[in-house]
Amino acid sequence: MASEASGASATDCAPASSDIPSQDGGPPNGAGNGHDLKGHGFLALALGSIGVVFGDIGTSPLYAFKEALAAAAHDGVVRSEIFGVISLAIWALILIVTLKYVVFIMRADNKGEGGVLSLMALAQHAIGRRTALVFGLGVAGAALFYGDAVITPAMSVLSAVEGLRTIPALEHAVNTQVVLVIATAMLLGLFFIQSRGTAKVGALFGPICAVWFLSMFALGAWHLAHKPEILKAISPHYAVHFLAHHGMAGFVVLGAVFLTVTGAEALSADMGHFGRWPIQAAWNFFVLPCLIVNYLGQGAFALSVFDAARRAGRPMPELNWFFEMAPEALRLPLVLLAGLATVIASQAVITGAFSLTQQAIQLGLLPRLDVRRTSETQSGQIFVPQLNTMLLVGVMAIMLTFQTSSALAHAYGLAVTGTMVVTTCMAFIVMRRLWNWSLPASLCFLIPFMALDLTFLSANALRFFTGGWLPVLIGAALFTIMATWVRGSQILSDKTRRDSLPVADLMDILRARAPHRAPGTAIFLTSDPDMTPVALMHNLKHNKVLHERNVILTVRTAETPRVNEEDRVKIEKVNDDFKKVIVNYGFMESPNIPKALAVCRKQGLKFDIMATSFFLGRRSIVPSANSGMPLWQDRLFIYLMKNAANPTDFFKIPPGRVVELGAQVTV
């Protein structure tokens, strides 16, 4: 069953002039969503971003160097390979995160908001319409993000719990099954608390992750002091030399090195919560130095182990480098701290998935889902029960399937590299069409970064059959769902429009033959204000009644994250009996019809909401072999329709005031 009041696409409503992002690529207010950037406000935002924005990339040292060195050690490790892997890790952080995201991508904000769907809306605005290319890129990027959201919690928590094996007193007691039991308990607890919100514990995320980064810095600096020669790895010469002399094996290592930058997308996606400048400052002056020093420290420790093994005439052992670089007495506290850091990183990804889902619903890419607010003060604190359950099932399934972080590492890179390719393409469109950069200047951005992205994508593609298929499968499934929903909604909208009567024609009919009038106000929800709502036609046809006052109400989603209150409601008088009301929301906002109607009263449209009836058109969808989609896609669309959230709940309409009138429609 589907409601005629289903949300319109972003292209249905052009943003007001005040909503258009700045042409130089910065936020309109220079702060990213109006954050206070003075004194303690700036420091608080920067500290908060350390916990949320950098949780994922901050836990990469747990496994990135270990996996990269293991990939390079298929025929034994030599000193130059340690230098090469560390150099590749450092320059991946500098080129991809610092240069691409901090310098370029974070400038492509949509009124302070970032992320793949915000970038899609911005690119659509730059072009002036929805194009198949931009739409396909945006949906692909969003779909791949869900693949990342399923893998990240399993990968990060497993890698932390595996640190227990490095504690001498526990190494024989902690086997794979014990690790899985502990990781399962941690993740179940994490997903079960989502419905309660994270506002109370969220304040601890920043300080805990700050301690985590300082601990990584201290461990790295300690080993760096013993083997300062590893500092030579900062030179890109070692990275280039490694790739030039290792052929296909170097390419495989490059896929593992990419694990150092997983989570880079969060810099853009979380701009709306913390602002551009606090995130950039936290990265440049705190997070990046801590990561580089830790990777250098792991390299220094590996050199020490290599030298000791060579002196003893033994092959170099394969270790859990991050935990074993710590003194034995500190390993248990380090494992506990790593566990907290990985839970925070997982929470950040889950919250990002909730936020992306809310955007996708508002942009018309997904059916309505139950989106609950878990905080009265924090707009980003939301909970999507259906998605939470699906993520939990997905995380548990892949963790029990792959069982170790090393096995899961093969599945990690493809989703992230795919999203990065999408981001680069859409940023190029924004630079060229919205910022009016010249073609040579735009190509100076596109060519080197696209070459870098495609190189990492190709390197990760080599892992397709050993786990890389997983995020591709998840992404393909989500892409199919989104594409089916958008196509089905368009077919349904076109069919409804063909079968409906224009509002102007209805006015002529009512003047010629006036129906019985009922007291009060009737509000008819519809996605097309120019056509007579199905519920209105059924009310006239079957009940043969028309209310004294009638409102045709349409909810539209703008291409901007939020809509100014003065642009929220637009009222158009049709005649003395009918008015059209357009309610505009940004794609980061949750619709609330009663609250919007309170704005109508300020504009002269007065009525008692408890004496007002809301009429919704409910459509029973029947598959048709002659529609614009294959029969299997029709059935998928009908399934999505049936499982969509009730429009009464979604639009926050008082349930006792709703009347639903149905019709059968074929698609």
Side-chain angles (χ1 to χ4, degrees), residues 142-435:
L144 287 169
F145 178 85
Y146 285 110
D148 183 29
V150 172
I151 297 172
T152 294
M155 177 74 182
S156 56
V157 171
L158 273 177
S159 62
V161 178
E162 286 170 351
L164 291 171
R165 294 178 175 178
T166 66
I167 301 172
L170 299 176
E171 59 181 339
H172 297 297
V174 179
N175 55 25
T176 300
Q177 285 68 37
V178 173
V179 169
L180 287 174
V181 169
I182 296 173
T184 298
M186 292 172 64
L187 289 169
L188 285 174
L190 176 64
F191 280 99
F192 284 149
I193 67 166
Q194 294 304 311
S195 61
R196 301 180 181 273
T198 58
K200 293 181 179 178
V201 297
L204 300 174
F205 287 179
I208 290 173
C209 281
V211 172
W212 167 249
F213 279 108
L214 289 172
S215 300
M216 288 197 297
F217 182 90
L219 281 174
W222 183 48
H223 283 279
L224 192 56
H226 290 85
K227 281 282 184 180
E229 64 181 296
I230 193 65
L231 286 170
K232 293 187 292 184
I234 296 175
S235 169
H237 161 76
Y238 289 93
V240 174
H241 183 270
F242 179 88
L243 293 176
H245 288 80
H246 283 76
M248 186 57 69
F251 221 49
V252 173
V253 173
L254 199 61
V257 166
F258 186 77
L259 295 171
T260 59
V261 297
T262 55
E265 282 286 330
L267 275 74
S268 170
D270 286 311
M271 270 197 294
H273 294 119
F274 301 100
R276 172 180 158 193
W277 303 120
I279 293 175
Q280 290 178 329
W283 171 258
N284 288 325
F285 300 111
F286 184 72
V287 176
L288 179 61
C290 289
L291 289 174
I292 288 179
V293 169
N294 186 264
Y295 283 122
L296 287 169
Q298 290 193 54
F301 178 51
L303 284 178
S304 299
V305 172
F306 174 82
D307 291 342
R310 191 171 60 175
R311 287 195 298 269
R314 298 191 303 268
M316 183 175 176
E318 187 174 328
L319 303 176
N320 190 332
W321 299 102
F322 179 84
F323 288 107
E324 301 219 21
M325 69 191 295
E328 291 183 4
L330 297 179
R331 284 183 195 166
L332 181 58
L334 185 62
V335 170
L336 296 176
L337 182 59
L340 287 174
T342 54
V343 167
I344 292 171
S346 302
Q347 175 62 58
V349 172
I350 295 168
T351 302
F354 290 162
S355 179
L356 185 77
T357 301
Q358 182 188 29
Q359 294 179 46
I361 293 168
Q362 289 295 85
L363 289 169
L365 303 180
L366 285 174
R368 291 184 302 268
L369 297 174
D370 180 16
V371 179
R372 304 176 188 174
R373 296 209 169 272
T374 58
S375 171
E376 294 295 328
T377 57
Q378 298 293 324
S379 62
Q381 291 284 336
I382 59 175
F383 172 62
V384 186
Q386 291 163 287
L387 179 64
N388 191 64
T389 301
M390 288 187 284
L391 286 176
L392 173 59
V393 171
V395 169
M396 290 295 123
I398 66 167
M399 187 173 69
L400 296 176
T401 300
F402 287 87
Q403 298 196 347
T404 67
S405 62
S406 294
L408 200 50
H410 290 257
Y412 206 10
L414 265 178
V416 183
T417 49
T419 306
M420 287 184 174
V421 170
V422 167
T423 300
T424 301
C425 292
M426 289 198 292
F428 171 75
I429 294 171
V430 171
M431 291 170 180
R432 186 81 178 96
R433 302 295 292 270
L434 185 64
W435 300 349

Side-chain angles (χ1 to χ4, degrees), residues 431-509:
M431 291 170 180
R432 186 81 178 96
R433 302 295 292 270
L434 185 64
W435 300 349
N436 297 318
W437 282 19
S438 66
L439 182 60
S442 301
L443 290 175
C444 284
F445 164 82
L446 177 70
I447 293 173
F449 287 116
M450 183 58 74
L452 194 62
D453 290 342
L454 291 176
T455 299
F456 277 112
L457 181 65
S458 302
N460 280 282
L462 296 175
R463 298 171 153 215
F464 181 84
F465 293 106
T466 57
W469 55 269
L470 179 63
V472 174
L473 179 64
I474 296 172
L478 266 296
F479 185 93
T480 302
I481 289 172
M482 290 183 184
T484 298
W485 178 255
V486 171
R487 179 62 180 148
S489 298
Q490 186 62 52
I491 291 172
L492 194 59
S493 177
D494 292 343
K495 186 172 181 62
T496 302
R497 189 176 181 87
R498 287 195 305 270
D499 297 341
S500 298
L501 184 70
V503 172
D505 293 349
L506 176 66
M507 299 302 105
D508 294 336
I509 294 172

